[in-house]
Amino acid sequence: MKYELRYEEIYEMIKKGKKISFVDMRSPKEFNDYKIPGAINLPILNDYEREIVGRTYVKESVDKAKYLGINFAKDKLPSFYEKIIELTKTYDEVILYCSRGGYRSHVFFSFLRSLGIDVKKLIGGYKSYRKYIHDNLASLIREKEFIVLCGKTGVGKTEILNKLKSAYPVLNLEELANHRGSIFGGIGLTQQPSQKYFESLLFEALDNDKKIFFTEGESSKIGNIQLPKILIEKISSGRKIIIEDEIDSRIKRIKRDYNLSDRDEIYKSLLEIKKFISSEKEKLYLEKFQEVDYDFLIRDLLINYYDPHYKKNYSKDDLHLANNSAVIKNILNFKNSI
């Protein structure tokens, strides 16, 4: 039996339905920056320890760095061992990895194997997984077709995607990017994922036998996340449905969906948008912000800033639907007619 596997081999196991638990042995900072989706973090060295060992490796000696690493790791082994035992009871395979499949994962892997624990190791570590995603993401995207919900800010495109996703394939890019796409799109949300982790989440979202996905029209960037060029092309060429709604409903929806209690974030976004508006508008918006008159702010931003930027690059044959009680039924009728 092989105990060290390439990611291609692990991927085939996943496709056959095996339950895999990935255990990331890297430091918390590395793990938070990017990881294999679903992995848990058992850092053999914490951030501070990794810095010390790395500096020793470069400035002093390899042997001393290894000694420090072992010293730092030894107290963690009992609790890590217990966690691995629990994972082996739940999953078909437990697979360890670090950055390149080197010292950090190998030490713990060898320790567990010496005790007869059935664990495996990812050859090449995270780097080999990342190469697999990089090499295969574009071809995966090319296999898919998209029905694209378009429309002005606040008409409820994301709301509709959420209603569809319980029964139909949906690619919610704003959910993956943890951002709503506009200057105000980060209000009330946590930090966005790294570009690498976003691409991992994107691969996972599309990696199934479904061919047609519902998605939302997006620009080339969602906050700090750059969408792959091939994805932008596929969405641009997809069949489009234009969602429409009244301005009062759009305002109500934005007030519901955004965390308007975070005044610091709203203020920062207003400062960001000032480079695109007149000084008179800037002054007016800041006055309304101080008065907590969010209805005025949202209405004016929609009518005088967002709506004029709305790109009507749709053909005359595109379907226009009101966001009402029949919208889901009408969207599904459109899908079934393709």
Side-chain angles (χ1 to χ4, degrees), residues 28-89:
K29 183 181 185 307
E30 293 171 286
F31 181 78
N32 289 333
D33 285 344
Y34 42 83
K35 54 188 169 288
I36 299 175
I40 67 164
N41 189 207
L42 297 182
I44 206 75
L45 300 174
N46 63 33
D47 295 327
Y48 171 74
E49 291 164 349
R50 177 173 175 254
E51 183 182 343
I52 295 295
V53 170
R55 187 163 61 239
T56 303
Y57 183 94
V58 172
K59 295 187 175 180
E60 298 187 46
S61 73
V62 174
D63 287 342
K64 186 173 181 181
K66 287 182 177 179
Y67 173 80
L68 284 174
I70 291 169
N71 231 17
F72 286 138
K74 66 180 185 344
D75 292 337
K76 302 182 182 78
L77 295 182
S79 63
F80 284 9
Y81 171 83
E82 290 179 3
K83 182 63 178 176
I84 294 294
I85 293 298
E86 288 302 312
L87 291 172
T88 60
K89 295 175 182 177

Side-chain angles (χ1 to χ4, degrees), residues 10 50 61 68 93 99 167 176 248 287 296 310:
I10 298 169
R50 177 173 175 254
S61 73
L68 284 174
E93 302 289 353
S99 292
L176 298 184
D248 288 341
E287 286 175 357
F296 177 91
Y310 174 66

Side-chain angles (χ1 to χ4, degrees), residues 22 26 38 54 89 92 153 173 183 217 235 271 274 276-277 290:
F22 287 102
R26 299 174 304 154
K89 295 175 182 177
D92 297 319
T153 302
L173 291 165
I183 289 175
I235 290 176
L271 294 181
K274 73 178 184 180
F276 303 108
I277 59 178
Q290 293 299 331

Side-chain angles (χ1 to χ4, degrees), residues 197-253:
Y197 191 50
F198 170 80
E199 290 171 10
S200 293
L201 295 173
L202 176 59
F203 187 95
E204 191 173 71
L206 293 173
D207 187 27
N208 56 56
D209 59 0
K210 306 299 183 184
K211 182 170 177 61
I212 299 176
F213 282 73
F214 290 102
T215 194
E216 183 177 341
E218 302 287 354
S219 60
S220 60
K221 290 189 75 175
I222 304 178
N224 295 322
I225 297 296
Q226 179 70 50
L227 298 185
K229 183 179 178 183
I230 181 62
L231 180 60
I232 297 168
E233 291 171 355
K234 291 290 288 190
I235 290 176
S236 296
S237 63
R239 297 290 298 273
K240 297 176 177 63
I241 300 174
I242 317 305
I243 305 299
E244 298 177 341
D245 208 352
E246 299 296 327
I247 185 71
D248 288 341
S249 295
R250 293 164 63 196
I251 293 168
K252 183 178 179 181
R253 186 175 290 112

Side-chain angles (χ1 to χ4, degrees), residues 11-25:
Y11 180 76
E12 288 304 315
M13 292 162 59
I14 295 170
K15 298 304 283 183
K16 289 176 181 176
K18 284 214 168 190
K19 291 175 61 181
I20 306 291
S21 175
F22 287 102
V23 178
D24 190 317
M25 308 300 297

Side-chain angles (χ1 to χ4, degrees), residues 2 24 74 95 99 102 105 123 128 130 133 150 181 186 188 198 219 223 229 256 294 310 323:
K2 292 176 65 176
D24 190 317
K74 66 180 185 344
I95 300 175
S99 292
S105 61
I123 296 171
S128 68
R130 171 62 186 167
I133 298 299
C150 303
F198 170 80
S219 60
K229 183 179 178 183
R256 181 196 69 199
Y294 293 145
Y310 174 66
N323 190 356

